[in-house]
């Protein structure tokens, strides 16, 4: 492939949507006002944009998604202005969801890439998973209307409850609430706990659960 073909094939595309995919791993955000994104996820931008770190939950935007649990969580940045923003996170695949009014989804804090600032949100920690995740398991519940982008290691699978999942492979869920189950029979021969010792049990019919072919254990 010559240089002209290469640049033409990989040039950015114009999109009418606020959130769109530049490729499988890169989110294209048309910023006109403000958007919230995972700090460190910016790979490029055009236009007049400013980036501000959000350090505490008191100002209306929570800074560290895991700050209360571990002090090391996922920092969020507010991006303001007018321009085009490109985001990516460790070559994870980007998934875009559009939430209707009053529609909500809960996402593992590690897997939130960006969301529109107009979405309402709540951050919770499942302390019962402290055995697998330092400080617990921190999640962000987002309610529409608006766009949200999440990331997955590989292609996700969407399951209908009732279903039991590994917490480290669980990316998101909607219209269902998990209960944490502990299987004391799952341990190896040298005393270390199996990753499957902690399980998330979803029983509410009508919702869905998103899992990935990868286990994220802190």
């Amino acid at each position: 492939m010559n240089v002209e073909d290469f640049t033409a094939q990989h040039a950015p595309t114009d999109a009418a949507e606020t959130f769109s995919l530049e490729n499988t791993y890169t989110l294209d955000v048309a910023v006109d006002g403000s958007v919230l994104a995972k700090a460190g996820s910016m790979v490029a931008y055009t236009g007049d944009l400013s980036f501000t770190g959000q350090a505490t939950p008191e100002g209306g935007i929570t800074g560290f998604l895991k700050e209360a649990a571990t002090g090391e969580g996922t920092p969020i940045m507010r991006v303001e202005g007018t321009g085009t923003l490109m985001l990516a996170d460790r070559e994870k695949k980007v998934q875009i969801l559009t939430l209707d009014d009053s529609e909500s989804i809960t996402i593992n804090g590690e897997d939130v890439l960006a969301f529109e600032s107009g979405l309402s949100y709540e951050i919770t920690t499942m302390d019962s998973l402290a055995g697998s995740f330092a400080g617990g398991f921190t999640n962000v519940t987002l309610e529409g209307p608006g766009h949200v982008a999440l990331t997955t290691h590989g292609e996700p699978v969407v399951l209908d409850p009732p279903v039991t999942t590994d917490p480290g492979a669980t990316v998101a869920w909607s219209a269902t609430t998990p209960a944490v189950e502990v299987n004391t029979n799952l341990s190896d021969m040298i005393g270390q706990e199996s990753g499957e010792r902690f399980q998330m049990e979803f029983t509410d019919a009508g919702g869905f659960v998103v899992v990935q072919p990868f286990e994220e254990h802190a």
Side-chain angles (χ1 to χ4, degrees):
M1 179 183 298
N2 61 37
V3 172
E4 184 177 351
D5 290 340
F6 176 80
T7 57
Q9 180 175 331
H10 297 287
T13 57
D14 294 327
E17 298 291 333
T18 304
F19 281 23
S20 61
L21 290 180
E22 197 58 61
N23 55 48
T24 304
Y25 313 104
T26 308
L27 175 69
D28 188 308
V29 183
V31 183
D32 186 11
S34 67
V35 67
L36 300 175
K38 187 174 186 177
S41 62
M42 185 275 288
V43 296
Y45 73 90
T46 62
D48 184 14
L49 299 179
S50 63
F51 300 81
T52 306
Q54 305 292 329
T56 64
E58 284 77 16
I61 303 297
T62 296
F64 290 96
L65 298 183
K66 294 184 179 177
E67 186 174 35
T70 68
E72 299 178 351
T74 303
I76 290 295
M77 61 185 178
R78 178 185 287 271
V79 184
E80 297 178 292
T82 303
T84 300
L85 173 67
M86 294 185 185
L87 304 171
D89 183 19
R90 296 174 294 170
E91 207 175 350
K92 294 168 68 177
K93 291 196 171 185
V94 180
Q95 319 289 338
I96 300 173
L97 299 178
T98 302
L99 300 179
D100 294 332
D101 189 20
S102 299
E103 191 173 24
S104 66
I105 189 170
T106 299
I107 306 173
N108 180 348
E110 286 295 322
D111 302 319
V112 177
L113 181 61
F115 57 93
E116 292 187 278
S117 57
L119 272 68
S120 60
Y121 69 93
E122 181 181 4
I123 296 172
T124 58
T125 300
M126 300 178 69
D127 294 331
S128 54
L129 289 174
S132 289
F133 297 85
F137 187 67
T138 304
N139 308 298
V140 184
T141 300
L142 297 159
E143 183 174 323
H147 294 87
V148 56
L150 56 88
T151 56
T152 61
H153 289 277
E155 291 291 346
V157 177
V158 179
L159 304 169
D160 295 327
V163 64
T164 300
T165 66
D166 183 303
T170 306
V171 175
W173 59 88
S174 180
T176 183
T177 302
V180 177
E181 300 293 330
V182 180
N183 189 332
T184 58
N185 294 322
L186 287 174
S187 61
D188 64 22
M189 297 301 292
I190 59 174
Q192 295 180 343
E193 293 175 350
S194 165
E196 284 71 37
R197 183 171 185 267
F198 292 89
Q199 301 169 353
M200 300 177 74
E201 186 176 285
F202 298 87
T203 58
D204 303 315
F208 65 85
V209 182
V210 182
V211 297
Q212 62 184 358
F214 183 90
E215 296 183 16
E216 291 181 306
H217 289 286

